Amino acid sequence: MSEAASPAQVKPELGRFIKANIRDYALLLSLLAIMIFFQFTTNGTLFKPVNMTNIILQNSYIVIMALGMLLVIVAGHIDLSVGSVSGFIGAVAAVLMVNWKIDPFLSAVACIALGAAIGGLQGYFIAYYKIPAFIVTLAGMLVFKGLALTVLGGASVGPFPKEFQLLSSGFIPDFIATAFNWTAMLIGIVVTALIIYFNFKERRTQEVHGLAEEPDVIFYGRNLLIAVAFLGFSYLMASYKGLPNVLIVMFALIALFMFITTRTTFGRRIYAMGGNEKAAKLSGINTEKLTFLIFTIMGALAGLAGLIFAARLNVATPKAGLGFELEVIAACFIGGAATTGGVGKVVGAVIGAFIIGVMNNGMSIMGIGIDWQQVIKGVVLMLAVFLDVYYKDKGR
């Protein structure tokens, strides 16, 4: 019969756990620190409900593409074409809905399928012809940037049908007609309760099998922080217009990709391939098919992001998607994805995307010019990659 751990034993265990997971906790603390900093420097503007809604709307397409980019980077590749593909898909959507008057839902489905086909085509050359992803997707970036200009004829096309605009500008309706959106608050309470429930359920399973490594103080503190963050965010959203439609889409995709990367054979194979492709191939993993599927998923998400961005602007422009690939890749690396592949988490990529989003929003409110914004984001990216390499070398 095992004896209870003494306080002297708990302290070293806590220290070891924090040291082993310092990158994950540092990332979350960095986001909190950045938000608190901008809350003070913007005189309380950052946490205003209308501004929080704007942050969600402005960064939803970056978060969505970051989910796909995470798989690409974990697999040991890169995709430079996502910005151009999303802009091209937005242009095709404008032609279908505005010029040809095709049903918005059918047009959206066709556009996402087209994005998947584009990603699959690039993945085919990378997987089966062994052309480096950097070269293939660089070519794709140029091709689809040019095709977007061709499709639009060099001019902006819009506005979109109102039904399509709801994708990015619509909100979950409130079934209790009051100034405070109780539907949004109720959804927030239910989602928070489910997250906490599954965390405790997983904890009990780990304890039964003797696999629980996270100290109690960290586990309870983490869940308390999750509850406060989710309920606080839900309250802010309920105080304005409620939950944006795009937030529901984004949250569903985050949950799906967390499940894929942590609970499925497909996800485990991606990490195995990124860690050592030759060993993965020798163990029976079809690395060519896996690479093809990863880029197909990335293409579909780029297509969806292009639709969301076009719906938000209510117009398709030849310059849409410009620079998106840089912010998406930066979000993944800031979120802890390794440049060498095999390492990265969905939560990290999402936090990385919001770090960039909050910085963009906060610096804009403060009146910092776009030139210095780029400088600051570049320094943050370099620092994040440096810390990743530093702690990896230290752990050897």
Side-chain angles (χ1 to χ4, degrees):
M1 189 172 172
S2 62
E3 296 179 4
S6 66
Q9 289 174 314
V10 171
K11 247 185 176 178
E13 287 177 7
L14 180 62
R16 281 196 298 270
F17 183 83
I18 291 174
K19 189 176 180 181
N21 296 272
I22 190 168
R23 282 185 292 175
D24 295 337
Y25 290 104
L27 185 64
L28 182 58
L29 291 174
S30 298
L31 176 58
L32 291 174
I34 289 168
M35 294 181 78
I36 292 169
F37 171 77
F38 282 117
Q39 173 68 1
F40 282 104
T41 55
T42 59
N43 298 317
T45 302
L46 185 76
F47 283 145
K48 285 184 177 178
V50 62
N51 191 58
M52 292 299 291
T53 301
N54 286 336
I55 290 175
I56 295 297
L57 298 179
Q58 290 167 1
N59 294 283
S60 55
Y61 44 89
I62 299 297
V63 173
I64 287 170
M65 285 194 285
L67 298 174
M69 187 63 74
L70 178 71
L71 299 186
V72 172
I73 291 173
V74 167
H77 299 292
I78 200 75
D79 191 341
L80 301 177
S81 70
V82 292
S84 296
V85 171
S86 65
F88 171 66
I89 294 298
V92 172
V95 170
L96 293 177
M97 296 182 211
V98 179
N99 294 351
W100 296 355
K101 309 296 182 186
I102 296 176
D103 178 74
F105 178 77
L106 293 177
S107 299
V109 171
C111 286
I112 293 172
L114 177 60
I118 290 169
L121 178 63
Q122 294 187 135
Y124 181 80
F125 284 110
I126 294 164
Y128 295 99
Y129 287 92
K130 306 302 179 186
I131 304 174
F134 182 90
I135 301 299
V136 174
T137 58
L138 178 62
M141 180 176 73
L142 299 173
V143 168
F144 294 107
K145 192 177 291 183
L147 286 177
L149 280 165
T150 303
V151 168
L152 294 174
S156 299
V157 176
F160 285 98
K162 288 184 178 179
E163 303 92 330
F164 179 69
Q165 293 176 42
L166 291 175
L167 174 63
S168 190
S169 61
F171 292 80
I172 300 297
D174 186 16
F175 298 104
I176 306 170
T178 61
F180 187 81
N181 194 309
W182 285 103
T183 301
M185 194 69 224
L186 182 61
I187 291 174
I189 292 170
V190 171
V191 169
T192 304
L194 286 172
I195 291 173
I196 301 298
Y197 168 76
F198 283 115
N199 282 346
F200 272 83
K201 184 180 178 182
E202 184 179 9
R203 175 75 171 186
R204 283 196 300 270
T205 303
Q206 290 175 345
E207 287 175 343
V208 168
H209 295 89
L211 300 173
E213 295 181 354
E214 189 176 21
D216 288 344
V217 64
I218 297 289
F219 174 75
Y220 288 110
R222 177 168 62 87
N223 280 278
L224 178 62
L225 186 62
I226 288 171
V228 170
F230 272 79
L231 293 175
F233 175 77
S234 300
Y235 178 81
L236 289 174
M237 294 293 99
S239 301
Y240 183 51
K241 292 183 179 180
L243 300 175
N245 292 335
V246 72
L247 176 64
I248 304 302
V249 174
M250 186 174 69
F251 189 82
L253 285 172
I254 291 171
L256 174 63
F257 275 76
M258 285 183 70
F259 177 78
I260 289 172
T261 54
T262 60
R263 303 286 184 180
T264 66
T265 303
F266 177 73
R268 288 192 291 272
R269 286 176 175 174
I270 293 172
Y271 284 91
M273 183 175 75
N276 190 323
E277 187 173 356
K278 287 183 179 178
K281 198 172 183 66
L282 289 171
S283 67
I285 295 174
N286 188 337
T287 55
E288 289 82 7
K289 182 181 179 181
L290 198 60
T291 300
F292 172 78
L293 290 174
I294 290 167
F295 277 91
T296 301
I297 292 169
M298 181 70 260
L301 292 177
L304 176 58
L307 293 176
I308 291 171
F309 184 72
R312 178 171 167 264
L313 292 185
N314 197 23
V315 67
T317 68
K319 290 187 177 181
L322 185 64
F324 283 5
E325 62 280 344
L326 302 180
E327 296 211 344
V328 172
I329 293 169
C332 292
F333 286 141
I334 289 173
T339 54
T340 52
V343 177
K345 293 181 180 179
V346 168
V347 173
V350 172
I351 293 175
F354 277 111
I355 285 176
I356 293 175
V358 170
M359 287 175 59
N360 285 338
N361 182 267
M363 289 189 290
S364 296
I365 295 172
M366 290 174 64
I368 297 174
I370 190 68
D371 47 354
W372 281 105
Q373 287 189 32
Q374 297 296 332
V375 171
I376 293 168
K377 286 191 289 185
V379 170
V380 170
L381 174 60
M382 186 65 203
L383 180 62
V385 176
F386 168 76
L387 289 174
D388 177 69
V389 174
Y390 174 79
Y391 282 115
K392 189 183 291 182
D393 290 342
K394 214 177 176 188
R396 286 176 182 170

